[in-house]
């Protein structure tokens, strides 16, 4: 009896410790995640099944920093397979770092850094992955009517350095930056790319994160875990079985406040990416300028405060989140089938929240007034 009580107490302490550890993880993640939070609460690791009799899974989680932001990689597994899952979490992290090395255009020694520094008319050999991302970026440029344009790097640089220079770029500077770098000045070949002017520079910041988390999620998918999640700076891919319940739950941050704007339920997983002018911006004379540029005008895209996109893969979601930041809800019509989105425009006191009907269906209890904006080809 005494023995059994002692065992129970020890057991209780272990439970408490596990619950505390678990809470610490959730707290850490809540701090890390800028835009979205996967809700992992309610997972009692000591139970074997949930209310519906479905076998409960253990959550194995790894938090780190990558691509200049916070990152969280998690897997759901049968409790006996934790060590196995941890091995794949480390491999998924390696995939993220590999993607960063391939695509970062701010590291001079990355593949794309070398392309940016290369002289005109020389063939720059590129690894298949980087080349694939460049092709995808070009397709996106066409699909978004030029709103997503990785060649507008000189314009991005002008805005990024504006606070240091103490003045916003002039019209003449922006026009020159546009002629210095654009898709007409790049030839993609089977094994690399050729710049037609020394000044051509690309910036893959609007696609690299999506590519990286998709690669990392692929590592987890191939490991045949029960489920998995990769999140970098609020962009998320999740698949398979969530830690509890039937759906992955993803919170979307309110661009005007600290809280959440909406919660999504993703029964089949998927990718959720958010772009916003509230997280990263330049500041000059008390005014904020978005880090996202409208390539057609050279001006920061400041009308849309945040754009969230749900798609089957993170590359698509990442691209369209940036593109919708430029286009606003008018861009919904350009999105491919199966891609759902929400944009926030207006002001803190009078926000305008537009979403596609498919996005609205994913929202758990839509708490705020949303304007449902069907695409031309769909009925609500
Ligand atoms: P995201 O936060 O995913 O929307 O990515 C924004 C990043 O993409 C910026 O920091 C720039 O590096 C780059 N970027 C800015 N404007 C554009 C644009 N119109 N098209 C493609 N990339 C852009
Ligand atoms: Mg993005």
């Amino acid at each position: 009896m005494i023995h059994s009580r002692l065992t129970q107490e020890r057991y209780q302490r272990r439970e408490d410790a596990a619950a505390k550890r678990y809470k610490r993880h959730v707290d850490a993640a809540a701090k890390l995640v800028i835009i979205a939070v996967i809700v992992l609460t309610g997972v009692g690791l000591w139970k074997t099944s949930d209310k519906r009799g479905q076998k409960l899974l253990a959550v194995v989680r790894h938090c780190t920093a990558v691509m200049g932001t916070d990152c969280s990689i998690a897997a759901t597994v049968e409790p006996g397979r934790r060590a196995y899952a941890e091995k794949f979490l480390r491999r998924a992290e390696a995939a993220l770092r590999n993607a960063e090395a391939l695509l970062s255009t701010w590291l001079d020694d990355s593949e794309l850094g070398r392309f940016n520094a290369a002289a005109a008319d020389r063939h720059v050999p590129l690894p298949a992955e980087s080349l694939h991302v460049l092709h995808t970026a070009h397709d996106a440029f066409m699909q978004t009517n030029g709103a997503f344009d990785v060649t507008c790097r000189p314009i991005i640089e002008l805005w990024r350095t504006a606070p240091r220079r103490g003045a916003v770029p002039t019209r003449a500077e922006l026009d020159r930056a546009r002629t210095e770098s654009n898709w007409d000045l790049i030839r993609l070949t089977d094994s690399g790319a050729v710049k037609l002017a020394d000044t051509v520079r690309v910036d893959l910041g609007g696609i690299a994160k999506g590519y990286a988390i998709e690669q990392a999620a692929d590592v987890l998918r191939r490991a045949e875990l029960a489920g998995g999640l990769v999140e970098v700076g609020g962009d998320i891919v999740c698949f398979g079985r969530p830690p509890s319940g039937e759906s992955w739950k993803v919170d979307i941050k309110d661009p005007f406040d600290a809280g959440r704007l909406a919660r999504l339920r993703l029964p089949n997983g998927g990718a959720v990416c958010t772009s916003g002018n509230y997280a990263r911006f330049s500041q000059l004379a008390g005014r904020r300028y978005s880090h996202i540029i409208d390539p057609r005008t050279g001006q920061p895209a400041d009308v849309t405060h945040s754009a969230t996109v749900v798609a089957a893969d993170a590359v698509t979601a990442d691209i369209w989140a940036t593109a919708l930041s430029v286009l606003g809800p008018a861009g919904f019509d350009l999105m491919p089938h199966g891609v759902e989105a929400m944009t926030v425009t207006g002001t803190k006191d009078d926000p305008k929240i537009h979403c596609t009907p498919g996005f609205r269906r994913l929202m758990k209890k839509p708490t705020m007034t949303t304007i449902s904006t069907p695409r031309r080809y769909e009925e609500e």
Side-chain angles (χ1 to χ4, degrees):
M1 191 62 187
I2 293 175
H3 172 74
S4 137
R5 211 180 62 229
L6 276 176
T7 315
Q8 258 183 13
E9 280 170 2
R10 226 177 281 142
Y11 185 63
Q12 188 59 49
R13 274 204 303 277
R14 264 216 314 269
E15 276 189 1
D16 290 350
K20 262 193 210 138
R21 262 201 315 278
Y22 179 70
K23 186 174 177 309
R24 265 208 308 276
H25 282 185
V26 172
D27 286 351
K31 274 185 217 136
L32 297 178
V33 174
I34 302 169
I35 299 157
V37 178
I38 293 290
V39 179
L40 294 170
T41 48
V43 185
L45 300 184
W46 55 91
K47 290 186 198 157
T48 55
S49 57
D50 65 12
K51 277 186 225 138
R52 286 179 305 278
Q54 214 182 10
K55 213 168 177 188
L56 269 186
L57 299 168
V59 182
V60 188
R61 191 184 188 93
H62 175 58
C63 295
T64 181
V66 69
M67 307 180 109
T69 184
D70 301 308
C71 155
S72 168
I73 308 169
T76 50
V77 280
E78 316 266 313
R81 296 183 82 208
R82 299 175 75 100
Y84 172 81
E86 272 157 15
K87 190 167 76 187
F88 284 94
L89 297 192
R90 286 193 296 275
R91 288 191 194 167
E93 183 189 343
L96 289 174
R97 299 201 185 281
N98 180 49
E100 180 178 25
L102 282 171
L103 302 181
S104 171
T105 44
W106 299 97
L107 302 173
D108 289 340
D109 58 351
S110 76
E111 299 292 344
L112 268 302
R114 274 202 288 279
F115 173 76
N116 281 349
D121 302 322
R122 281 193 33 224
H123 185 255
V124 182
L126 289 169
E129 298 97 318
S130 312
L131 198 52
H132 169 74
V133 173
L134 276 181
H135 276 287
T136 307
H138 184 254
D139 292 347
F141 171 73
M142 304 301 283
Q143 285 170 16
T144 62
N145 288 346
F148 185 86
D149 185 354
V150 300
T151 70
C152 67
R153 164 72 169 255
I155 303 179
I156 292 169
E157 286 172 6
L158 280 175
W159 283 101
R160 223 172 259 205
T161 55
R164 205 168 53 230
R165 294 185 297 130
V168 298
T170 63
R171 188 68 260 160
E173 283 175 323
L174 292 171
D175 289 345
R176 192 169 57 245
R178 194 65 288 205
T179 55
E180 276 177 5
S181 183
N182 54 65
W183 274 110
D184 290 341
L185 297 173
I186 298 178
R187 295 273 173 276
L188 297 178
T189 72
D190 287 343
S191 56
V194 181
K195 289 166 42 168
L196 303 186
D198 293 341
T199 47
V200 169
R201 296 191 293 291
V202 295
D203 180 330
L204 300 182
I207 190 173
K209 225 190 308 160
Y211 177 80
I213 59 176
E214 197 57 44
Q215 292 295 305
D218 262 350
V219 169
L220 300 183
R221 280 189 198 105
R222 283 197 299 269
E224 295 185 5
L225 303 156
L229 170 154
V230 182
E231 181 267 312
V232 174
D235 288 346
I236 282 170
V237 177
C238 51
F239 66 91
R241 272 188 63 193
S244 65
E246 285 171 356
S247 299
W248 292 93
K249 299 175 189 78
V250 178
D251 283 357
I252 301 168
K253 197 195 162 306
D254 185 334
F256 300 116
D257 263 315
R260 77 162 182 243
L261 184 65
R263 173 167 290 181
L264 298 180
R265 267 188 314 208
L266 304 174
N268 305 316
V272 185
C273 293
T274 299
S275 292
N277 64 6
Y278 56 89
R280 283 159 60 204
F281 47 83
S282 305
Q283 201 153 5
L284 191 67
R287 226 197 110 178
R288 286 173 167 200
Y289 298 94
S290 174
H291 67 298
I292 299 169
I293 301 300
D294 184 340
R296 302 159 308 176
T297 61
Q299 296 299 317
D302 277 317
V303 175
T304 306
H305 304 296
S306 89
T308 300
V309 176
V310 180
D313 72 281
V315 174
T316 304
D318 199 12
I319 287 172
W320 280 99
T322 307
L324 292 181
S325 297
V326 173
L327 297 165
F332 290 175
D333 273 336
L334 302 177
M335 297 190 306
H337 277 269
V339 180
E340 306 297 345
M342 173 176 90
T343 57
V344 183
T345 53
T347 60
K348 185 174 177 357
D349 296 329
D350 184 21
K352 300 273 182 290
I353 302 162
H354 293 258
C355 41
T356 60
F359 191 96
R360 208 184 147 80
R361 282 193 289 275
L362 295 172
M363 273 161 61
K364 197 178 173 197
K365 295 192 213 139
T367 42
M368 71 287 188
T369 314
T370 54
I371 305 162
S372 200
T373 313
R375 285 170 270 187
R376 256 182 253 126
Y377 56 79
E378 69 186 345
E379 300 275 314
E380 183 155 8

